[in-house]
Amino acid sequence: MQIVHLSDLHFSEAYFVPEIAESMLQSINQLDPDIVVITGDLTENGFSAEYDGVKKFIDRIACKDKVLVPGNHDSKNAGYLHFEDLFENRFSNRNLGGVTVVGVDSSQPDIDEGHLGRENYGWIKEAFSGQNFKIFALHHHLVPIPLSGRENSVLVDAGDVLDLLNRCKVNLVLCGHCHIPHVWNLNNMLVVNAGTFCSSKTRGKTTQCFNLIQAENENSDNNNWKVRVSRVFPQGKMELITKTVM
């Protein structure tokens, strides 16, 4: 199973880089992934015209199973209403073959900080009650990311959410937000942050990229998944970041 994870397109005249976007799109379609997860900041300001443009771009990703959640930029200027019109639910629970993907909206209108809220913990726990490979997707990161500067954008209730996901035996957490790619392995749960996908808003010496997660369960009688996380750059260059068994 191949899962493509990308984040932070920032579709706008100021930041979206079309030539990089086209190169990355070609790379994704050549990989022919089973699932594409996009963890927010599709737009820069949440405006209707930005949403229309990014929707046309995302529709060109040749994968029928896409899971999207909004980021803080998408919720600016009541942009979350456009997200609901174009992409339906800001919260979702989908079973795709042997994979359960739960996507949540961690954004708050016109506030950069993220928050999930205990009112959502119950249905998340229920969604992860089975034995599938479990993926949790949100925009804000749950743990600090190296090189991201003074940390002030970890999810407000990150500790409670991490504890919930650990108890649910979630395999993979996918985040975005700070534009710096990184992977943490916490209690055999991979927390994978994405860099910026195709905007000019790169930080430090990072460049545009997306994540490719390959998960295999060779024996359906047990839950031992072999997982590889690679980083894919413009023009298709790929770098293996980590591999583990969970």
Side-chain angles (χ1 to χ4, degrees), residues 160-191:
D160 291 330
V161 175
L162 280 168
D163 179 63
L164 171 65
L165 300 180
N166 183 58
R167 287 186 282 110
C168 291
K169 300 186 184 305
V170 168
N171 302 98
L172 191 63
V173 179
L174 303 179
C175 316
H177 190 54
C178 74
H179 299 196
I180 295 177
H182 193 73
V183 178
W184 290 113
N185 191 333
L186 305 177
N187 290 356
N188 208 29
M189 176 174 66
L190 290 180
V191 181

PDB file of all heavy atoms in Angstrom, residues 160-191:
ATOM      1  N   ASP A 160      -3.176  15.425  25.551  1.00  0.00           N
ATOM      2  CA  ASP A 160      -4.361  14.563  25.625  1.00  0.00           C
ATOM      3  C   ASP A 160      -4.576  13.805  24.322  1.00  0.00           C
ATOM      4  O   ASP A 160      -4.960  12.630  24.333  1.00  0.00           O
ATOM      5  CB  ASP A 160      -5.604  15.399  25.952  1.00  0.00           C
ATOM      6  CG  ASP A 160      -5.581  15.942  27.368  1.00  0.00           C
ATOM      7  OD1 ASP A 160      -4.986  15.280  28.245  1.00  0.00           O
ATOM      8  OD2 ASP A 160      -6.143  17.025  27.586  1.00  0.00           O
ATOM      9  N   VAL A 161      -4.337  14.473  23.194  1.00  0.00           N
ATOM     10  CA  VAL A 161      -4.530  13.819  21.901  1.00  0.00           C
ATOM     11  C   VAL A 161      -3.495  12.723  21.697  1.00  0.00           C
ATOM     12  O   VAL A 161      -3.822  11.619  21.238  1.00  0.00           O
ATOM     13  CB  VAL A 161      -4.462  14.855  20.753  1.00  0.00           C
ATOM     14  CG1 VAL A 161      -4.538  14.158  19.396  1.00  0.00           C
ATOM     15  CG2 VAL A 161      -5.606  15.865  20.879  1.00  0.00           C
ATOM     16  N   LEU A 162      -2.243  12.975  22.052  1.00  0.00           N
ATOM     17  CA  LEU A 162      -1.212  11.943  21.946  1.00  0.00           C
ATOM     18  C   LEU A 162      -1.547  10.738  22.811  1.00  0.00           C
ATOM     19  O   LEU A 162      -1.371   9.582  22.391  1.00  0.00           O
ATOM     20  CB  LEU A 162       0.147  12.510  22.346  1.00  0.00           C
ATOM     21  CG  LEU A 162       0.890  13.324  21.291  1.00  0.00           C
ATOM     22  CD1 LEU A 162       2.073  14.048  21.921  1.00  0.00           C
ATOM     23  CD2 LEU A 162       1.357  12.444  20.140  1.00  0.00           C
ATOM     24  N   ASP A 163      -2.026  10.985  24.016  1.00  0.00           N
ATOM     25  CA  ASP A 163      -2.409   9.885  24.895  1.00  0.00           C
ATOM     26  C   ASP A 163      -3.552   9.079  24.286  1.00  0.00           C
ATOM     27  O   ASP A 163      -3.539   7.842  24.315  1.00  0.00           O
ATOM     28  CB  ASP A 163      -2.818  10.436  26.259  1.00  0.00           C
ATOM     29  CG  ASP A 163      -3.261   9.344  27.221  1.00  0.00           C
ATOM     30  OD1 ASP A 163      -2.432   8.473  27.557  1.00  0.00           O
ATOM     31  OD2 ASP A 163      -4.439   9.345  27.612  1.00  0.00           O
ATOM     32  N   LEU A 164      -4.537   9.745  23.715  1.00  0.00           N
ATOM     33  CA  LEU A 164      -5.664   9.071  23.065  1.00  0.00           C
ATOM     34  C   LEU A 164      -5.185   8.207  21.910  1.00  0.00           C
ATOM     35  O   LEU A 164      -5.560   7.036  21.788  1.00  0.00           O
ATOM     36  CB  LEU A 164      -6.668  10.114  22.570  1.00  0.00           C
ATOM     37  CG  LEU A 164      -7.796   9.598  21.676  1.00  0.00           C
ATOM     38  CD1 LEU A 164      -8.711   8.656  22.446  1.00  0.00           C
ATOM     39  CD2 LEU A 164      -8.589  10.765  21.090  1.00  0.00           C
ATOM     40  N   LEU A 165      -4.333   8.763  21.044  1.00  0.00           N
ATOM     41  CA  LEU A 165      -3.859   8.022  19.883  1.00  0.00           C
ATOM     42  C   LEU A 165      -3.000   6.840  20.295  1.00  0.00           C
ATOM     43  O   LEU A 165      -3.043   5.771  19.675  1.00  0.00           O
ATOM     44  CB  LEU A 165      -3.074   8.955  18.956  1.00  0.00           C
ATOM     45  CG  LEU A 165      -3.843  10.163  18.410  1.00  0.00           C
ATOM     46  CD1 LEU A 165      -2.948  10.989  17.502  1.00  0.00           C
ATOM     47  CD2 LEU A 165      -5.114   9.728  17.682  1.00  0.00           C
ATOM     48  N   ASN A 166      -2.220   7.010  21.349  1.00  0.00           N
ATOM     49  CA  ASN A 166      -1.394   5.911  21.851  1.00  0.00           C
ATOM     50  C   ASN A 166      -2.275   4.778  22.356  1.00  0.00           C
ATOM     51  O   ASN A 166      -2.011   3.591  22.070  1.00  0.00           O
ATOM     52  CB  ASN A 166      -0.482   6.426  22.963  1.00  0.00           C
ATOM     53  CG  ASN A 166       0.452   5.354  23.490  1.00  0.00           C
ATOM     54  OD1 ASN A 166       1.237   4.775  22.752  1.00  0.00           O
ATOM     55  ND2 ASN A 166       0.351   5.085  24.790  1.00  0.00           N
ATOM     56  N   ARG A 167      -3.341   5.103  23.100  1.00  0.00           N
ATOM     57  CA  ARG A 167      -4.245   4.081  23.615  1.00  0.00           C
ATOM     58  C   ARG A 167      -5.013   3.391  22.482  1.00  0.00           C
ATOM     59  O   ARG A 167      -5.376   2.217  22.602  1.00  0.00           O
ATOM     60  CB  ARG A 167      -5.225   4.683  24.628  1.00  0.00           C
ATOM     61  CG  ARG A 167      -4.569   5.022  25.956  1.00  0.00           C
ATOM     62  CD  ARG A 167      -5.555   5.473  27.008  1.00  0.00           C
ATOM     63  NE  ARG A 167      -5.976   6.867  26.812  1.00  0.00           N
ATOM     64  CZ  ARG A 167      -7.169   7.248  26.430  1.00  0.00           C
ATOM     65  NH1 ARG A 167      -8.104   6.346  26.161  1.00  0.00           N
ATOM     66  NH2 ARG A 167      -7.470   8.530  26.286  1.00  0.00           N
ATOM     67  N   CYS A 168      -5.254   4.113  21.398  1.00  0.00           N
ATOM     68  CA  CYS A 168      -5.946   3.534  20.242  1.00  0.00           C
ATOM     69  C   CYS A 168      -5.008   2.739  19.337  1.00  0.00           C
ATOM     70  O   CYS A 168      -5.452   2.169  18.346  1.00  0.00           O
ATOM     71  CB  CYS A 168      -6.607   4.647  19.427  1.00  0.00           C
ATOM     72  SG  CYS A 168      -8.003   5.437  20.229  1.00  0.00           S
ATOM     73  N   LYS A 169      -3.720   2.724  19.680  1.00  0.00           N
ATOM     74  CA  LYS A 169      -2.701   2.014  18.887  1.00  0.00           C
ATOM     75  C   LYS A 169      -2.675   2.500  17.434  1.00  0.00           C
ATOM     76  O   LYS A 169      -2.638   1.719  16.482  1.00  0.00           O
ATOM     77  CB  LYS A 169      -2.911   0.504  18.949  1.00  0.00           C
ATOM     78  CG  LYS A 169      -2.829  -0.059  20.361  1.00  0.00           C
ATOM     79  CD  LYS A 169      -2.884  -1.564  20.357  1.00  0.00           C
ATOM     80  CE  LYS A 169      -2.909  -2.134  21.783  1.00  0.00           C
ATOM     81  NZ  LYS A 169      -1.781  -1.677  22.619  1.00  0.00           N
ATOM     82  N   VAL A 170      -2.698   3.823  17.290  1.00  0.00           N
ATOM     83  CA  VAL A 170      -2.592   4.435  15.959  1.00  0.00           C
ATOM     84  C   VAL A 170      -1.180   4.213  15.424  1.00  0.00           C
ATOM     85  O   VAL A 170      -0.193   4.329  16.153  1.00  0.00           O
ATOM     86  CB  VAL A 170      -2.931   5.936  16.036  1.00  0.00           C
ATOM     87  CG1 VAL A 170      -2.550   6.658  14.749  1.00  0.00           C
ATOM     88  CG2 VAL A 170      -4.411   6.115  16.325  1.00  0.00           C
ATOM     89  N   ASN A 171      -1.089   3.858  14.148  1.00  0.00           N
ATOM     90  CA  ASN A 171       0.207   3.592  13.529  1.00  0.00           C
ATOM     91  C   ASN A 171       0.895   4.844  13.006  1.00  0.00           C
ATOM     92  O   ASN A 171       2.117   4.975  13.083  1.00  0.00           O
ATOM     93  CB  ASN A 171       0.039   2.618  12.356  1.00  0.00           C
ATOM     94  CG  ASN A 171      -0.579   1.300  12.774  1.00  0.00           C
ATOM     95  OD1 ASN A 171      -1.776   1.101  12.622  1.00  0.00           O
ATOM     96  ND2 ASN A 171       0.223   0.398  13.307  1.00  0.00           N
ATOM     97  N   LEU A 172       0.094   5.771  12.465  1.00  0.00           N
ATOM     98  CA  LEU A 172       0.669   6.868  11.690  1.00  0.00           C
ATOM     99  C   LEU A 172      -0.113   8.148  11.946  1.00  0.00           C
ATOM    100  O   LEU A 172      -1.343   8.165  11.840  1.00  0.00           O
ATOM    101  CB  LEU A 172       0.604   6.502  10.200  1.00  0.00           C
ATOM    102  CG  LEU A 172       1.355   7.334   9.174  1.00  0.00           C
ATOM    103  CD1 LEU A 172       2.857   7.262   9.412  1.00  0.00           C
ATOM    104  CD2 LEU A 172       1.019   6.815   7.771  1.00  0.00           C
ATOM    105  N   VAL A 173       0.602   9.205  12.320  1.00  0.00           N
ATOM    106  CA  VAL A 173       0.009  10.537  12.468  1.00  0.00           C
ATOM    107  C   VAL A 173       0.619  11.434  11.403  1.00  0.00           C
ATOM    108  O   VAL A 173       1.854  11.532  11.295  1.00  0.00           O
ATOM    109  CB  VAL A 173       0.272  11.121  13.867  1.00  0.00           C
ATOM    110  CG1 VAL A 173      -0.332  12.525  13.975  1.00  0.00           C
ATOM    111  CG2 VAL A 173      -0.296  10.213  14.947  1.00  0.00           C
ATOM    112  N   LEU A 174      -0.222  12.092  10.618  1.00  0.00           N
ATOM    113  CA  LEU A 174       0.235  12.948   9.522  1.00  0.00           C
ATOM    114  C   LEU A 174      -0.124  14.392   9.831  1.00  0.00           C
ATOM    115  O   LEU A 174      -1.289  14.707  10.091  1.00  0.00           O
ATOM    116  CB  LEU A 174      -0.396  12.510   8.200  1.00  0.00           C
ATOM    117  CG  LEU A 174      -0.147  11.049   7.795  1.00  0.00           C
ATOM    118  CD1 LEU A 174      -0.848  10.743   6.464  1.00  0.00           C
ATOM    119  CD2 LEU A 174       1.338  10.749   7.704  1.00  0.00           C
ATOM    120  N   CYS A 175       0.874  15.288   9.786  1.00  0.00           N
ATOM    121  CA  CYS A 175       0.692  16.698  10.139  1.00  0.00           C
ATOM    122  C   CYS A 175       1.325  17.594   9.080  1.00  0.00           C
ATOM    123  O   CYS A 175       2.044  17.131   8.192  1.00  0.00           O
ATOM    124  CB  CYS A 175       1.349  17.014  11.483  1.00  0.00           C
ATOM    125  SG  CYS A 175       1.078  15.830  12.801  1.00  0.00           S
ATOM    126  N   GLY A 176       1.107  18.894   9.224  1.00  0.00           N
ATOM    127  CA  GLY A 176       1.729  19.885   8.354  1.00  0.00           C
ATOM    128  C   GLY A 176       2.133  21.099   9.159  1.00  0.00           C
ATOM    129  O   GLY A 176       2.813  21.004  10.168  1.00  0.00           O
ATOM    130  N   HIS A 177       1.728  22.262   8.707  1.00  0.00           N
ATOM    131  CA  HIS A 177       1.743  23.530   9.430  1.00  0.00           C
ATOM    132  C   HIS A 177       3.080  24.269   9.463  1.00  0.00           C
ATOM    133  O   HIS A 177       3.128  25.440   9.083  1.00  0.00           O
ATOM    134  CB  HIS A 177       1.235  23.343  10.860  1.00  0.00           C
ATOM    135  CG  HIS A 177       0.992  24.636  11.598  1.00  0.00           C
ATOM    136  ND1 HIS A 177       0.188  25.633  11.090  1.00  0.00           N
ATOM    137  CD2 HIS A 177       1.449  25.089  12.799  1.00  0.00           C
ATOM    138  CE1 HIS A 177       0.158  26.647  11.941  1.00  0.00           C
ATOM    139  NE2 HIS A 177       0.914  26.346  12.974  1.00  0.00           N
ATOM    140  N   CYS A 178       4.169  23.654   9.904  1.00  0.00           N
ATOM    141  CA  CYS A 178       5.376  24.462  10.121  1.00  0.00           C
ATOM    142  C   CYS A 178       6.334  24.440   8.921  1.00  0.00           C
ATOM    143  O   CYS A 178       7.397  25.056   8.979  1.00  0.00           O
ATOM    144  CB  CYS A 178       6.100  24.028  11.387  1.00  0.00           C
ATOM    145  SG  CYS A 178       6.969  22.466  11.254  1.00  0.00           S
ATOM    146  N   HIS A 179       5.988  23.739   7.848  1.00  0.00           N
ATOM    147  CA  HIS A 179       6.751  23.764   6.588  1.00  0.00           C
ATOM    148  C   HIS A 179       8.116  23.093   6.697  1.00  0.00           C
ATOM    149  O   HIS A 179       8.983  23.321   5.855  1.00  0.00           O
ATOM    150  CB  HIS A 179       6.934  25.197   6.066  1.00  0.00           C
ATOM    151  CG  HIS A 179       5.646  25.889   5.756  1.00  0.00           C
ATOM    152  ND1 HIS A 179       5.599  27.034   4.986  1.00  0.00           N
ATOM    153  CD2 HIS A 179       4.368  25.610   6.072  1.00  0.00           C
ATOM    154  CE1 HIS A 179       4.337  27.427   4.869  1.00  0.00           C
ATOM    155  NE2 HIS A 179       3.576  26.571   5.528  1.00  0.00           N
ATOM    156  N   ILE A 180       8.308  22.294   7.729  1.00  0.00           N
ATOM    157  CA  ILE A 180       9.572  21.576   7.896  1.00  0.00           C
ATOM    158  C   ILE A 180       9.277  20.085   7.996  1.00  0.00           C
ATOM    159  O   ILE A 180       8.553  19.654   8.907  1.00  0.00           O
ATOM    160  CB  ILE A 180      10.326  22.046   9.151  1.00  0.00           C
ATOM    161  CG1 ILE A 180      10.743  23.510   8.987  1.00  0.00           C
ATOM    162  CG2 ILE A 180      11.546  21.169   9.423  1.00  0.00           C
ATOM    163  CD1 ILE A 180      11.431  24.095  10.194  1.00  0.00           C
ATOM    164  N   PRO A 181       9.806  19.268   7.082  1.00  0.00           N
ATOM    165  CA  PRO A 181       9.544  17.827   7.147  1.00  0.00           C
ATOM    166  C   PRO A 181      10.330  17.174   8.274  1.00  0.00           C
ATOM    167  O   PRO A 181      11.498  17.494   8.514  1.00  0.00           O
ATOM    168  CB  PRO A 181      10.014  17.331   5.777  1.00  0.00           C
ATOM    169  CG  PRO A 181      11.074  18.306   5.360  1.00  0.00           C
ATOM    170  CD  PRO A 181      10.660  19.634   5.926  1.00  0.00           C
ATOM    171  N   HIS A 182       9.680  16.236   8.958  1.00  0.00           N
ATOM    172  CA  HIS A 182      10.363  15.529  10.051  1.00  0.00           C
ATOM    173  C   HIS A 182       9.558  14.296  10.412  1.00  0.00           C
ATOM    174  O   HIS A 182       8.351  14.221  10.151  1.00  0.00           O
ATOM    175  CB  HIS A 182      10.506  16.423  11.278  1.00  0.00           C
ATOM    176  CG  HIS A 182      11.448  15.883  12.304  1.00  0.00           C
ATOM    177  ND1 HIS A 182      12.817  15.883  12.128  1.00  0.00           N
ATOM    178  CD2 HIS A 182      11.238  15.297  13.507  1.00  0.00           C
ATOM    179  CE1 HIS A 182      13.404  15.349  13.178  1.00  0.00           C
ATOM    180  NE2 HIS A 182      12.459  14.980  14.026  1.00  0.00           N
ATOM    181  N   VAL A 183      10.222  13.317  11.030  1.00  0.00           N
ATOM    182  CA  VAL A 183       9.558  12.102  11.502  1.00  0.00           C
ATOM    183  C   VAL A 183       9.998  11.817  12.931  1.00  0.00           C
ATOM    184  O   VAL A 183      11.198  11.785  13.227  1.00  0.00           O
ATOM    185  CB  VAL A 183       9.889  10.882  10.614  1.00  0.00           C
ATOM    186  CG1 VAL A 183       9.213   9.632  11.165  1.00  0.00           C
ATOM    187  CG2 VAL A 183       9.451  11.118   9.174  1.00  0.00           C
ATOM    188  N   TRP A 184       9.017  11.626  13.815  1.00  0.00           N
ATOM    189  CA  TRP A 184       9.268  11.135  15.173  1.00  0.00           C
ATOM    190  C   TRP A 184       8.690   9.733  15.287  1.00  0.00           C
ATOM    191  O   TRP A 184       7.633   9.438  14.722  1.00  0.00           O
ATOM    192  CB  TRP A 184       8.582  12.014  16.230  1.00  0.00           C
ATOM    193  CG  TRP A 184       9.135  13.381  16.430  1.00  0.00           C
ATOM    194  CD1 TRP A 184       8.516  14.570  16.134  1.00  0.00           C
ATOM    195  CD2 TRP A 184      10.400  13.737  17.014  1.00  0.00           C
ATOM    196  NE1 TRP A 184       9.317  15.633  16.482  1.00  0.00           N
ATOM    197  CE2 TRP A 184      10.481  15.147  17.020  1.00  0.00           C
ATOM    198  CE3 TRP A 184      11.469  12.992  17.511  1.00  0.00           C
ATOM    199  CZ2 TRP A 184      11.584  15.828  17.524  1.00  0.00           C
ATOM    200  CZ3 TRP A 184      12.576  13.670  18.004  1.00  0.00           C
ATOM    201  CH2 TRP A 184      12.614  15.067  18.006  1.00  0.00           C
ATOM    202  N   ASN A 185       9.354   8.864  16.048  1.00  0.00           N
ATOM    203  CA  ASN A 185       8.802   7.558  16.396  1.00  0.00           C
ATOM    204  C   ASN A 185       8.526   7.559  17.892  1.00  0.00           C
ATOM    205  O   ASN A 185       9.444   7.532  18.710  1.00  0.00           O
ATOM    206  CB  ASN A 185       9.784   6.435  16.026  1.00  0.00           C
ATOM    207  CG  ASN A 185       9.144   5.054  16.120  1.00  0.00           C
ATOM    208  OD1 ASN A 185       8.205   4.838  16.877  1.00  0.00           O
ATOM    209  ND2 ASN A 185       9.646   4.113  15.337  1.00  0.00           N
ATOM    210  N   LEU A 186       7.233   7.628  18.246  1.00  0.00           N
ATOM    211  CA  LEU A 186       6.822   7.712  19.646  1.00  0.00           C
ATOM    212  C   LEU A 186       6.020   6.472  20.008  1.00  0.00           C
ATOM    213  O   LEU A 186       4.912   6.264  19.496  1.00  0.00           O
ATOM    214  CB  LEU A 186       5.963   8.961  19.881  1.00  0.00           C
ATOM    215  CG  LEU A 186       6.563  10.312  19.474  1.00  0.00           C
ATOM    216  CD1 LEU A 186       5.545  11.420  19.707  1.00  0.00           C
ATOM    217  CD2 LEU A 186       7.840  10.581  20.248  1.00  0.00           C
ATOM    218  N   ASN A 187       6.563   5.642  20.879  1.00  0.00           N
ATOM    219  CA  ASN A 187       5.867   4.418  21.295  1.00  0.00           C
ATOM    220  C   ASN A 187       5.406   3.595  20.094  1.00  0.00           C
ATOM    221  O   ASN A 187       4.295   3.078  20.055  1.00  0.00           O
ATOM    222  CB  ASN A 187       4.663   4.748  22.189  1.00  0.00           C
ATOM    223  CG  ASN A 187       5.074   5.254  23.550  1.00  0.00           C
ATOM    224  OD1 ASN A 187       6.262   5.287  23.872  1.00  0.00           O
ATOM    225  ND2 ASN A 187       4.109   5.664  24.346  1.00  0.00           N
ATOM    226  N   ASN A 188       6.270   3.494  19.099  1.00  0.00           N
ATOM    227  CA  ASN A 188       5.990   2.748  17.869  1.00  0.00           C
ATOM    228  C   ASN A 188       4.856   3.367  17.064  1.00  0.00           C
ATOM    229  O   ASN A 188       4.173   2.681  16.297  1.00  0.00           O
ATOM    230  CB  ASN A 188       5.677   1.272  18.165  1.00  0.00           C
ATOM    231  CG  ASN A 188       6.056   0.377  17.006  1.00  0.00           C
ATOM    232  OD1 ASN A 188       6.983   0.666  16.239  1.00  0.00           O
ATOM    233  ND2 ASN A 188       5.348  -0.730  16.856  1.00  0.00           N
ATOM    234  N   MET A 189       4.622   4.655  17.230  1.00  0.00           N
ATOM    235  CA  MET A 189       3.688   5.424  16.413  1.00  0.00           C
ATOM    236  C   MET A 189       4.504   6.470  15.667  1.00  0.00           C
ATOM    237  O   MET A 189       5.192   7.284  16.278  1.00  0.00           O
ATOM    238  CB  MET A 189       2.628   6.101  17.299  1.00  0.00           C
ATOM    239  CG  MET A 189       1.663   7.006  16.552  1.00  0.00           C
ATOM    240  SD  MET A 189       0.338   7.643  17.628  1.00  0.00           S
ATOM    241  CE  MET A 189       1.300   8.698  18.752  1.00  0.00           C
ATOM    242  N   LEU A 190       4.463   6.430  14.343  1.00  0.00           N
ATOM    243  CA  LEU A 190       5.211   7.394  13.551  1.00  0.00           C
ATOM    244  C   LEU A 190       4.422   8.694  13.428  1.00  0.00           C
ATOM    245  O   LEU A 190       3.267   8.692  13.002  1.00  0.00           O
ATOM    246  CB  LEU A 190       5.501   6.839  12.155  1.00  0.00           C
ATOM    247  CG  LEU A 190       6.507   5.691  12.063  1.00  0.00           C
ATOM    248  CD1 LEU A 190       6.687   5.267  10.601  1.00  0.00           C
ATOM    249  CD2 LEU A 190       7.852   6.082  12.659  1.00  0.00           C
ATOM    250  N   VAL A 191       5.038   9.788  13.822  1.00  0.00           N
ATOM    251  CA  VAL A 191       4.452  11.130  13.669  1.00  0.00           C
ATOM    252  C   VAL A 191       5.224  11.808  12.542  1.00  0.00           C
ATOM    253  O   VAL A 191       6.393  12.161  12.702  1.00  0.00           O
ATOM    254  CB  VAL A 191       4.546  11.931  14.977  1.00  0.00           C
ATOM    255  CG1 VAL A 191       3.903  13.308  14.798  1.00  0.00           C
ATOM    256  CG2 VAL A 191       3.874  11.174  16.118  1.00  0.00           C
TER     257      VAL A 191
END
